[in-house]
Amino acid sequence: MKVFVLNCGSSSLKYQLINMKNEKVIAKGLVEKIGENISYLNYKTEANNEIEIEEKISDHNQAIEMVLEILQNKEYGVLENMDEINIVGHRVVHGGEKFSGSVLIDEEVIKALKENIKLAPLHNPANIMGIEVSRKLMPNTPDVGIFDTAFHQSMPKKSYLYAVPYKWYEENGVRRYGFHGTSHKYVSERGAKLLGRDYKDLKIISCHLGNGASITAIEAGKVIDTSMGLTPLDGLVMGTRSGDLDTGIIPYIMKERNMNIEEIDQALNKESGVLGISGVSNDFRDIGEAAEAGNKRAKLALDIFCRRVKKYIGSYAALLGRVDLLIFTAGIGENAINVRKKITSNMDCFGIEIDNNKNNCRGKEIKISSDNSKVDVYVIPTNEELVIAREAKNVVEDHVKNIIKELIG
Ligand code: ADP
């Protein structure tokens, strides 16, 4: 069985074709700058064939069509024909309260997704576009939606409600939803396997530190709390997002700087975070280099980022009452040695101590806690595409089983 995983952003798409027999990636790549004068398509196969195309790609329809053609190319393709794709798994950012698990997509689901656009105006329209194009180009292939918010639907009400007028929740859907759910689910389940313990017995804190960053407390496989909220703007300091903020700043600065809603939204989402503080970059590699070269604001940005993660770990430890496993994942969590070191320093009161030699590594699955540490600390590279492919396969298999059950009676 082959699953095609699609992750559509507003001007980009990432894709992977996964063979579910051995869970190996047959081909993968991305298309960037869709709709601009020059777009980039990248394609790489398991057999190390690689293609880069630079030309105008007008829309997602054309982008997906090109990827499907390349996958079937006589010379460097990996498919005889499109029917070899058994399922398409789509990453969908916001499932709202309606979707607490992955779903087989039909007209009803698309309608519900469209209703959720107001909750994720930056992400859901592109996800829906990917689904619609896929249904058009592969009408006989089932599509499954896998939601970033789904894992967090296990959160209790006392965690997901904001202290605002209750009718904002009832009438407008204002609550914490949380994001990066597929990643938190994957690394926490993987962590339990690595410890050789039952997932249901564990209390876990999972730090997904990428350009977008979030942290989740998990108990017995359920989310107890997570740092992102109604939108991905909440919680940790990120590449370009502010994270937690005194909301009083918003009306104050709007008046002071004569800004409108769109401008403040843009500033908090795209011009804040470590970019806003450092003035250097949103990329931790650039900020790290600048800090080492003596740039004070770059160093400050790193300090503020790490301090926020530390605060969350402390507060989640208090909520959980005990921590068995602390996980670092995503671009920064997997690669930024100094960031992991800074976050975990002086945390012996929580039983957290890392071994600096073990921590001196990038991008691998490894235990980095010291022998004295009460909490196991691991780096676990995330694999959201694999979770999407597995979920998509399970949803379709369950659907087929149900049909057979109904037929047999
Ligand atoms: P997203 O999926 O949210 O775009 P990623 O998980 O891909 O983010 O993480 C991207 C970030 O990871 C980069 O912006 C960069 O800050 C950080 N990163 C990647 N490699 C390294 C590295 N070797 N050292 C430090 N930071 C890194």
Side-chain angles (χ1 to χ4, degrees), residues 180-216:
H180 298 133
T182 35
S183 176
H184 289 295
K185 183 168 190 263
Y186 172 78
V187 296
S188 57
E189 284 178 352
R190 179 77 197 137
K193 275 219 177 87
L194 291 171
L195 291 188
R197 292 183 58 187
D198 190 341
Y199 190 43
K200 293 265 150 64
D201 293 338
L202 290 174
K203 298 193 183 205
I204 301 172
I205 298 177
S206 151
C207 308
H208 177 110
L209 309 179
N211 200 27
S214 69
I215 175 165
T216 297

PDB file of all heavy atoms in Angstrom, residues 180-216:
ATOM      1  N   HIS A 180       0.437  21.269  16.326  1.00  0.00           N
ATOM      2  CA  HIS A 180       1.545  20.291  16.267  1.00  0.00           C
ATOM      3  C   HIS A 180       1.125  18.963  16.900  1.00  0.00           C
ATOM      4  O   HIS A 180       1.979  18.215  17.389  1.00  0.00           O
ATOM      5  CB  HIS A 180       2.810  20.794  17.010  1.00  0.00           C
ATOM      6  CG  HIS A 180       3.417  22.032  16.453  1.00  0.00           C
ATOM      7  ND1 HIS A 180       3.803  23.093  17.240  1.00  0.00           N
ATOM      8  CD2 HIS A 180       3.710  22.398  15.187  1.00  0.00           C
ATOM      9  CE1 HIS A 180       4.306  24.055  16.478  1.00  0.00           C
ATOM     10  NE2 HIS A 180       4.252  23.654  15.226  1.00  0.00           N
ATOM     11  N   GLY A 181      -0.178  18.686  16.912  1.00  0.00           N
ATOM     12  CA  GLY A 181      -0.667  17.469  17.587  1.00  0.00           C
ATOM     13  C   GLY A 181      -0.060  16.189  17.040  1.00  0.00           C
ATOM     14  O   GLY A 181       0.287  15.287  17.822  1.00  0.00           O
ATOM     15  N   THR A 182       0.104  16.107  15.702  1.00  0.00           N
ATOM     16  CA  THR A 182       0.664  14.869  15.142  1.00  0.00           C
ATOM     17  C   THR A 182       2.100  14.670  15.626  1.00  0.00           C
ATOM     18  O   THR A 182       2.511  13.548  15.896  1.00  0.00           O
ATOM     19  CB  THR A 182       0.664  14.890  13.591  1.00  0.00           C
ATOM     20  OG1 THR A 182       0.917  16.209  13.154  1.00  0.00           O
ATOM     21  CG2 THR A 182      -0.636  14.423  13.006  1.00  0.00           C
ATOM     22  N   SER A 183       2.828  15.774  15.750  1.00  0.00           N
ATOM     23  CA  SER A 183       4.217  15.670  16.202  1.00  0.00           C
ATOM     24  C   SER A 183       4.282  15.272  17.689  1.00  0.00           C
ATOM     25  O   SER A 183       5.005  14.349  18.063  1.00  0.00           O
ATOM     26  CB  SER A 183       4.926  17.009  15.990  1.00  0.00           C
ATOM     27  OG  SER A 183       6.225  16.962  16.509  1.00  0.00           O
ATOM     28  N   HIS A 184       3.494  15.950  18.538  1.00  0.00           N
ATOM     29  CA  HIS A 184       3.512  15.617  19.973  1.00  0.00           C
ATOM     30  C   HIS A 184       3.089  14.160  20.186  1.00  0.00           C
ATOM     31  O   HIS A 184       3.637  13.459  21.037  1.00  0.00           O
ATOM     32  CB  HIS A 184       2.584  16.555  20.745  1.00  0.00           C
ATOM     33  CG  HIS A 184       3.114  17.964  20.848  1.00  0.00           C
ATOM     34  ND1 HIS A 184       4.258  18.274  21.533  1.00  0.00           N
ATOM     35  CD2 HIS A 184       2.665  19.134  20.347  1.00  0.00           C
ATOM     36  CE1 HIS A 184       4.491  19.581  21.459  1.00  0.00           C
ATOM     37  NE2 HIS A 184       3.530  20.117  20.731  1.00  0.00           N
ATOM     38  N   LYS A 185       2.114  13.719  19.393  1.00  0.00           N
ATOM     39  CA  LYS A 185       1.637  12.334  19.532  1.00  0.00           C
ATOM     40  C   LYS A 185       2.757  11.367  19.121  1.00  0.00           C
ATOM     41  O   LYS A 185       3.074  10.421  19.851  1.00  0.00           O
ATOM     42  CB  LYS A 185       0.404  12.139  18.636  1.00  0.00           C
ATOM     43  CG  LYS A 185      -0.240  10.779  18.723  1.00  0.00           C
ATOM     44  CD  LYS A 185      -1.604  10.807  18.018  1.00  0.00           C
ATOM     45  CE  LYS A 185      -2.390   9.557  18.272  1.00  0.00           C
ATOM     46  NZ  LYS A 185      -2.285   8.568  17.215  1.00  0.00           N
ATOM     47  N   TYR A 186       3.367  11.653  17.969  1.00  0.00           N
ATOM     48  CA  TYR A 186       4.401  10.743  17.464  1.00  0.00           C
ATOM     49  C   TYR A 186       5.567  10.631  18.446  1.00  0.00           C
ATOM     50  O   TYR A 186       5.978   9.539  18.822  1.00  0.00           O
ATOM     51  CB  TYR A 186       4.916  11.210  16.099  1.00  0.00           C
ATOM     52  CG  TYR A 186       6.116  10.425  15.627  1.00  0.00           C
ATOM     53  CD1 TYR A 186       5.955   9.151  15.076  1.00  0.00           C
ATOM     54  CD2 TYR A 186       7.402  10.932  15.763  1.00  0.00           C
ATOM     55  CE1 TYR A 186       7.059   8.410  14.669  1.00  0.00           C
ATOM     56  CE2 TYR A 186       8.511  10.192  15.358  1.00  0.00           C
ATOM     57  CZ  TYR A 186       8.332   8.944  14.814  1.00  0.00           C
ATOM     58  OH  TYR A 186       9.428   8.204  14.427  1.00  0.00           O
ATOM     59  N   VAL A 187       6.121  11.785  18.873  1.00  0.00           N
ATOM     60  CA  VAL A 187       7.335  11.699  19.709  1.00  0.00           C
ATOM     61  C   VAL A 187       7.027  11.137  21.089  1.00  0.00           C
ATOM     62  O   VAL A 187       7.853  10.424  21.673  1.00  0.00           O
ATOM     63  CB  VAL A 187       8.103  13.051  19.820  1.00  0.00           C
ATOM     64  CG1 VAL A 187       8.627  13.484  18.471  1.00  0.00           C
ATOM     65  CG2 VAL A 187       7.275  14.142  20.459  1.00  0.00           C
ATOM     66  N   SER A 188       5.818  11.415  21.611  1.00  0.00           N
ATOM     67  CA  SER A 188       5.514  10.888  22.949  1.00  0.00           C
ATOM     68  C   SER A 188       5.306   9.369  22.896  1.00  0.00           C
ATOM     69  O   SER A 188       5.780   8.633  23.774  1.00  0.00           O
ATOM     70  CB  SER A 188       4.314  11.609  23.575  1.00  0.00           C
ATOM     71  OG  SER A 188       3.172  11.521  22.757  1.00  0.00           O
ATOM     72  N   GLU A 189       4.631   8.887  21.846  1.00  0.00           N
ATOM     73  CA  GLU A 189       4.457   7.428  21.710  1.00  0.00           C
ATOM     74  C   GLU A 189       5.806   6.747  21.470  1.00  0.00           C
ATOM     75  O   GLU A 189       6.098   5.700  22.025  1.00  0.00           O
ATOM     76  CB  GLU A 189       3.505   7.115  20.546  1.00  0.00           C
ATOM     77  CG  GLU A 189       2.055   7.388  20.907  1.00  0.00           C
ATOM     78  CD  GLU A 189       1.083   7.139  19.763  1.00  0.00           C
ATOM     79  OE1 GLU A 189       1.521   6.897  18.616  1.00  0.00           O
ATOM     80  OE2 GLU A 189      -0.126   7.211  20.008  1.00  0.00           O
ATOM     81  N   ARG A 190       6.611   7.390  20.639  1.00  0.00           N
ATOM     82  CA  ARG A 190       7.948   6.855  20.335  1.00  0.00           C
ATOM     83  C   ARG A 190       8.801   6.825  21.619  1.00  0.00           C
ATOM     84  O   ARG A 190       9.520   5.871  21.884  1.00  0.00           O
ATOM     85  CB  ARG A 190       8.593   7.735  19.259  1.00  0.00           C
ATOM     86  CG  ARG A 190       9.968   7.355  18.845  1.00  0.00           C
ATOM     87  CD  ARG A 190       9.988   6.168  17.911  1.00  0.00           C
ATOM     88  NE  ARG A 190      11.328   5.610  17.858  1.00  0.00           N
ATOM     89  CZ  ARG A 190      11.618   4.320  17.878  1.00  0.00           C
ATOM     90  NH1 ARG A 190      10.668   3.417  17.915  1.00  0.00           N
ATOM     91  NH2 ARG A 190      12.859   3.904  17.852  1.00  0.00           N
ATOM     92  N   GLY A 191       8.679   7.899  22.416  1.00  0.00           N
ATOM     93  CA  GLY A 191       9.423   7.981  23.671  1.00  0.00           C
ATOM     94  C   GLY A 191       9.068   6.830  24.601  1.00  0.00           C
ATOM     95  O   GLY A 191       9.949   6.208  25.217  1.00  0.00           O
ATOM     96  N   ALA A 192       7.780   6.523  24.686  1.00  0.00           N
ATOM     97  CA  ALA A 192       7.346   5.408  25.548  1.00  0.00           C
ATOM     98  C   ALA A 192       7.981   4.109  25.060  1.00  0.00           C
ATOM     99  O   ALA A 192       8.460   3.293  25.868  1.00  0.00           O
ATOM    100  CB  ALA A 192       5.816   5.311  25.527  1.00  0.00           C
ATOM    101  N   LYS A 193       8.027   3.919  23.751  1.00  0.00           N
ATOM    102  CA  LYS A 193       8.660   2.705  23.166  1.00  0.00           C
ATOM    103  C   LYS A 193      10.132   2.648  23.542  1.00  0.00           C
ATOM    104  O   LYS A 193      10.652   1.606  23.937  1.00  0.00           O
ATOM    105  CB  LYS A 193       8.550   2.736  21.635  1.00  0.00           C
ATOM    106  CG  LYS A 193       7.256   2.190  21.105  1.00  0.00           C
ATOM    107  CD  LYS A 193       7.489   1.375  19.816  1.00  0.00           C
ATOM    108  CE  LYS A 193       6.169   0.799  19.365  1.00  0.00           C
ATOM    109  NZ  LYS A 193       5.412   1.747  18.511  1.00  0.00           N
ATOM    110  N   LEU A 194      10.807   3.811  23.424  1.00  0.00           N
ATOM    111  CA  LEU A 194      12.248   3.835  23.716  1.00  0.00           C
ATOM    112  C   LEU A 194      12.522   3.509  25.182  1.00  0.00           C
ATOM    113  O   LEU A 194      13.519   2.889  25.517  1.00  0.00           O
ATOM    114  CB  LEU A 194      12.843   5.210  23.376  1.00  0.00           C
ATOM    115  CG  LEU A 194      12.899   5.549  21.889  1.00  0.00           C
ATOM    116  CD1 LEU A 194      13.304   6.996  21.670  1.00  0.00           C
ATOM    117  CD2 LEU A 194      13.889   4.621  21.168  1.00  0.00           C
ATOM    118  N   LEU A 195      11.594   3.923  26.062  1.00  0.00           N
ATOM    119  CA  LEU A 195      11.759   3.623  27.490  1.00  0.00           C
ATOM    120  C   LEU A 195      11.340   2.179  27.794  1.00  0.00           C
ATOM    121  O   LEU A 195      11.574   1.691  28.894  1.00  0.00           O
ATOM    122  CB  LEU A 195      10.904   4.559  28.345  1.00  0.00           C
ATOM    123  CG  LEU A 195      11.282   6.033  28.424  1.00  0.00           C
ATOM    124  CD1 LEU A 195      10.435   6.733  29.469  1.00  0.00           C
ATOM    125  CD2 LEU A 195      12.752   6.217  28.767  1.00  0.00           C
ATOM    126  N   GLY A 196      10.669   1.553  26.825  1.00  0.00           N
ATOM    127  CA  GLY A 196      10.172   0.190  27.037  1.00  0.00           C
ATOM    128  C   GLY A 196       9.048   0.170  28.054  1.00  0.00           C
ATOM    129  O   GLY A 196       8.890  -0.795  28.806  1.00  0.00           O
ATOM    130  N   ARG A 197       8.282   1.288  28.119  1.00  0.00           N
ATOM    131  CA  ARG A 197       7.203   1.348  29.113  1.00  0.00           C
ATOM    132  C   ARG A 197       5.864   1.582  28.436  1.00  0.00           C
ATOM    133  O   ARG A 197       5.789   2.016  27.290  1.00  0.00           O
ATOM    134  CB  ARG A 197       7.490   2.482  30.111  1.00  0.00           C
ATOM    135  CG  ARG A 197       8.697   2.145  30.972  1.00  0.00           C
ATOM    136  CD  ARG A 197       8.950   3.197  32.009  1.00  0.00           C
ATOM    137  NE  ARG A 197       7.819   3.411  32.902  1.00  0.00           N
ATOM    138  CZ  ARG A 197       7.780   4.394  33.807  1.00  0.00           C
ATOM    139  NH1 ARG A 197       8.801   5.207  33.916  1.00  0.00           N
ATOM    140  NH2 ARG A 197       6.728   4.536  34.581  1.00  0.00           N
ATOM    141  N   ASP A 198       4.802   1.281  29.183  1.00  0.00           N
ATOM    142  CA  ASP A 198       3.455   1.465  28.650  1.00  0.00           C
ATOM    143  C   ASP A 198       3.157   2.970  28.581  1.00  0.00           C
ATOM    144  O   ASP A 198       3.307   3.679  29.582  1.00  0.00           O
ATOM    145  CB  ASP A 198       2.464   0.750  29.583  1.00  0.00           C
ATOM    146  CG  ASP A 198       1.075   0.690  28.976  1.00  0.00           C
ATOM    147  OD1 ASP A 198       0.787   1.480  28.062  1.00  0.00           O
ATOM    148  OD2 ASP A 198       0.276  -0.161  29.427  1.00  0.00           O
ATOM    149  N   TYR A 199       2.735   3.426  27.413  1.00  0.00           N
ATOM    150  CA  TYR A 199       2.410   4.846  27.187  1.00  0.00           C
ATOM    151  C   TYR A 199       1.434   5.345  28.247  1.00  0.00           C
ATOM    152  O   TYR A 199       1.522   6.473  28.729  1.00  0.00           O
ATOM    153  CB  TYR A 199       1.801   4.939  25.783  1.00  0.00           C
ATOM    154  CG  TYR A 199       1.602   6.326  25.219  1.00  0.00           C
ATOM    155  CD1 TYR A 199       2.563   7.318  25.338  1.00  0.00           C
ATOM    156  CD2 TYR A 199       0.437   6.629  24.506  1.00  0.00           C
ATOM    157  CE1 TYR A 199       2.370   8.577  24.785  1.00  0.00           C
ATOM    158  CE2 TYR A 199       0.240   7.889  23.948  1.00  0.00           C
ATOM    159  CZ  TYR A 199       1.204   8.861  24.098  1.00  0.00           C
ATOM    160  OH  TYR A 199       1.013  10.103  23.547  1.00  0.00           O
ATOM    161  N   LYS A 200       0.511   4.483  28.626  1.00  0.00           N
ATOM    162  CA  LYS A 200      -0.569   4.869  29.560  1.00  0.00           C
ATOM    163  C   LYS A 200      -0.049   5.109  30.987  1.00  0.00           C
ATOM    164  O   LYS A 200      -0.738   5.700  31.808  1.00  0.00           O
ATOM    165  CB  LYS A 200      -1.653   3.784  29.586  1.00  0.00           C
ATOM    166  CG  LYS A 200      -2.412   3.648  28.272  1.00  0.00           C
ATOM    167  CD  LYS A 200      -3.684   4.476  28.323  1.00  0.00           C
ATOM    168  CE  LYS A 200      -4.148   5.008  26.987  1.00  0.00           C
ATOM    169  NZ  LYS A 200      -4.540   4.064  25.989  1.00  0.00           N
ATOM    170  N   ASP A 201       1.176   4.627  31.278  1.00  0.00           N
ATOM    171  CA  ASP A 201       1.727   4.801  32.633  1.00  0.00           C
ATOM    172  C   ASP A 201       2.586   6.056  32.761  1.00  0.00           C
ATOM    173  O   ASP A 201       3.099   6.342  33.850  1.00  0.00           O
ATOM    174  CB  ASP A 201       2.628   3.607  33.001  1.00  0.00           C
ATOM    175  CG  ASP A 201       1.836   2.336  33.150  1.00  0.00           C
ATOM    176  OD1 ASP A 201       0.616   2.439  33.390  1.00  0.00           O
ATOM    177  OD2 ASP A 201       2.429   1.249  32.999  1.00  0.00           O
ATOM    178  N   LEU A 202       2.760   6.776  31.652  1.00  0.00           N
ATOM    179  CA  LEU A 202       3.795   7.822  31.655  1.00  0.00           C
ATOM    180  C   LEU A 202       3.262   9.251  31.735  1.00  0.00           C
ATOM    181  O   LEU A 202       2.165   9.552  31.244  1.00  0.00           O
ATOM    182  CB  LEU A 202       4.636   7.703  30.386  1.00  0.00           C
ATOM    183  CG  LEU A 202       5.548   6.481  30.294  1.00  0.00           C
ATOM    184  CD1 LEU A 202       6.202   6.422  28.924  1.00  0.00           C
ATOM    185  CD2 LEU A 202       6.614   6.501  31.387  1.00  0.00           C
ATOM    186  N   LYS A 203       4.080  10.104  32.365  1.00  0.00           N
ATOM    187  CA  LYS A 203       3.824  11.546  32.371  1.00  0.00           C
ATOM    188  C   LYS A 203       4.952  12.182  31.555  1.00  0.00           C
ATOM    189  O   LYS A 203       6.134  12.037  31.904  1.00  0.00           O
ATOM    190  CB  LYS A 203       3.812  12.084  33.791  1.00  0.00           C
ATOM    191  CG  LYS A 203       2.693  11.444  34.634  1.00  0.00           C
ATOM    192  CD  LYS A 203       2.491  12.190  35.917  1.00  0.00           C
ATOM    193  CE  LYS A 203       1.433  11.500  36.774  1.00  0.00           C
ATOM    194  NZ  LYS A 203       0.779  12.402  37.702  1.00  0.00           N
ATOM    195  N   ILE A 204       4.555  12.855  30.479  1.00  0.00           N
ATOM    196  CA  ILE A 204       5.534  13.292  29.480  1.00  0.00           C
ATOM    197  C   ILE A 204       5.394  14.789  29.191  1.00  0.00           C
ATOM    198  O   ILE A 204       4.278  15.305  29.124  1.00  0.00           O
ATOM    199  CB  ILE A 204       5.305  12.512  28.154  1.00  0.00           C
ATOM    200  CG1 ILE A 204       5.434  11.000  28.385  1.00  0.00           C
ATOM    201  CG2 ILE A 204       6.266  12.967  27.059  1.00  0.00           C
ATOM    202  CD1 ILE A 204       5.036  10.135  27.198  1.00  0.00           C
ATOM    203  N   ILE A 205       6.530  15.461  29.025  1.00  0.00           N
ATOM    204  CA  ILE A 205       6.500  16.835  28.497  1.00  0.00           C
ATOM    205  C   ILE A 205       7.221  16.816  27.154  1.00  0.00           C
ATOM    206  O   ILE A 205       8.375  16.370  27.068  1.00  0.00           O
ATOM    207  CB  ILE A 205       7.167  17.836  29.456  1.00  0.00           C
ATOM    208  CG1 ILE A 205       6.408  17.882  30.797  1.00  0.00           C
ATOM    209  CG2 ILE A 205       7.190  19.227  28.824  1.00  0.00           C
ATOM    210  CD1 ILE A 205       7.038  18.796  31.843  1.00  0.00           C
ATOM    211  N   SER A 206       6.514  17.254  26.126  1.00  0.00           N
ATOM    212  CA  SER A 206       7.068  17.200  24.783  1.00  0.00           C
ATOM    213  C   SER A 206       7.262  18.620  24.247  1.00  0.00           C
ATOM    214  O   SER A 206       6.319  19.406  24.214  1.00  0.00           O
ATOM    215  CB  SER A 206       6.086  16.378  23.943  1.00  0.00           C
ATOM    216  OG  SER A 206       6.099  16.753  22.620  1.00  0.00           O
ATOM    217  N   CYS A 207       8.506  18.953  23.864  1.00  0.00           N
ATOM    218  CA  CYS A 207       8.822  20.304  23.373  1.00  0.00           C
ATOM    219  C   CYS A 207       9.050  20.243  21.870  1.00  0.00           C
ATOM    220  O   CYS A 207      10.070  19.713  21.423  1.00  0.00           O
ATOM    221  CB  CYS A 207      10.097  20.839  24.025  1.00  0.00           C
ATOM    222  SG  CYS A 207      10.119  20.763  25.811  1.00  0.00           S
ATOM    223  N   HIS A 208       8.107  20.749  21.105  1.00  0.00           N
ATOM    224  CA  HIS A 208       8.266  20.839  19.642  1.00  0.00           C
ATOM    225  C   HIS A 208       8.804  22.237  19.346  1.00  0.00           C
ATOM    226  O   HIS A 208       8.057  23.212  19.364  1.00  0.00           O
ATOM    227  CB  HIS A 208       6.911  20.604  18.954  1.00  0.00           C
ATOM    228  CG  HIS A 208       6.969  20.746  17.462  1.00  0.00           C
ATOM    229  ND1 HIS A 208       6.846  19.682  16.596  1.00  0.00           N
ATOM    230  CD2 HIS A 208       7.138  21.829  16.666  1.00  0.00           C
ATOM    231  CE1 HIS A 208       6.947  20.099  15.354  1.00  0.00           C
ATOM    232  NE2 HIS A 208       7.111  21.406  15.364  1.00  0.00           N
ATOM    233  N   LEU A 209      10.121  22.323  19.136  1.00  0.00           N
ATOM    234  CA  LEU A 209      10.754  23.628  18.961  1.00  0.00           C
ATOM    235  C   LEU A 209      11.226  23.780  17.516  1.00  0.00           C
ATOM    236  O   LEU A 209      12.327  23.355  17.155  1.00  0.00           O
ATOM    237  CB  LEU A 209      11.940  23.778  19.927  1.00  0.00           C
ATOM    238  CG  LEU A 209      11.651  23.468  21.406  1.00  0.00           C
ATOM    239  CD1 LEU A 209      12.910  23.627  22.246  1.00  0.00           C
ATOM    240  CD2 LEU A 209      10.525  24.345  21.946  1.00  0.00           C
ATOM    241  N   GLY A 210      10.362  24.328  16.680  1.00  0.00           N
ATOM    242  CA  GLY A 210      10.713  24.635  15.288  1.00  0.00           C
ATOM    243  C   GLY A 210      10.492  26.113  15.082  1.00  0.00           C
ATOM    244  O   GLY A 210      10.426  26.874  16.058  1.00  0.00           O
ATOM    245  N   ASN A 211      10.351  26.523  13.848  1.00  0.00           N
ATOM    246  CA  ASN A 211      10.051  27.924  13.587  1.00  0.00           C
ATOM    247  C   ASN A 211       8.751  28.300  14.302  1.00  0.00           C
ATOM    248  O   ASN A 211       8.626  29.348  14.905  1.00  0.00           O
ATOM    249  CB  ASN A 211       9.960  28.114  12.077  1.00  0.00           C
ATOM    250  CG  ASN A 211      10.130  29.549  11.708  1.00  0.00           C
ATOM    251  OD1 ASN A 211      10.775  30.320  12.422  1.00  0.00           O
ATOM    252  ND2 ASN A 211       9.523  29.928  10.622  1.00  0.00           N
ATOM    253  N   GLY A 212       7.766  27.389  14.237  1.00  0.00           N
ATOM    254  CA  GLY A 212       6.609  27.453  15.138  1.00  0.00           C
ATOM    255  C   GLY A 212       6.935  26.530  16.298  1.00  0.00           C
ATOM    256  O   GLY A 212       7.530  25.468  16.079  1.00  0.00           O
ATOM    257  N   ALA A 213       6.621  26.916  17.531  1.00  0.00           N
ATOM    258  CA  ALA A 213       7.032  26.084  18.669  1.00  0.00           C
ATOM    259  C   ALA A 213       5.876  25.915  19.649  1.00  0.00           C
ATOM    260  O   ALA A 213       5.116  26.853  19.882  1.00  0.00           O
ATOM    261  CB  ALA A 213       8.226  26.726  19.373  1.00  0.00           C
ATOM    262  N   SER A 214       5.763  24.696  20.187  1.00  0.00           N
ATOM    263  CA  SER A 214       4.752  24.476  21.223  1.00  0.00           C
ATOM    264  C   SER A 214       5.224  23.395  22.165  1.00  0.00           C
ATOM    265  O   SER A 214       6.105  22.591  21.836  1.00  0.00           O
ATOM    266  CB  SER A 214       3.397  24.116  20.610  1.00  0.00           C
ATOM    267  OG  SER A 214       3.435  22.842  20.017  1.00  0.00           O
ATOM    268  N   ILE A 215       4.632  23.364  23.337  1.00  0.00           N
ATOM    269  CA  ILE A 215       5.018  22.399  24.372  1.00  0.00           C
ATOM    270  C   ILE A 215       3.742  21.787  24.949  1.00  0.00           C
ATOM    271  O   ILE A 215       2.734  22.484  25.117  1.00  0.00           O
ATOM    272  CB  ILE A 215       5.931  23.089  25.428  1.00  0.00           C
ATOM    273  CG1 ILE A 215       6.255  22.164  26.593  1.00  0.00           C
ATOM    274  CG2 ILE A 215       5.358  24.369  25.944  1.00  0.00           C
ATOM    275  CD1 ILE A 215       7.427  22.692  27.439  1.00  0.00           C
ATOM    276  N   THR A 216       3.788  20.483  25.197  1.00  0.00           N
ATOM    277  CA  THR A 216       2.575  19.779  25.611  1.00  0.00           C
ATOM    278  C   THR A 216       2.858  18.876  26.805  1.00  0.00           C
ATOM    279  O   THR A 216       3.893  18.203  26.845  1.00  0.00           O
ATOM    280  CB  THR A 216       2.028  18.935  24.422  1.00  0.00           C
ATOM    281  OG1 THR A 216       1.673  19.828  23.370  1.00  0.00           O
ATOM    282  CG2 THR A 216       0.812  18.134  24.800  1.00  0.00           C
TER     283      THR A 216
END
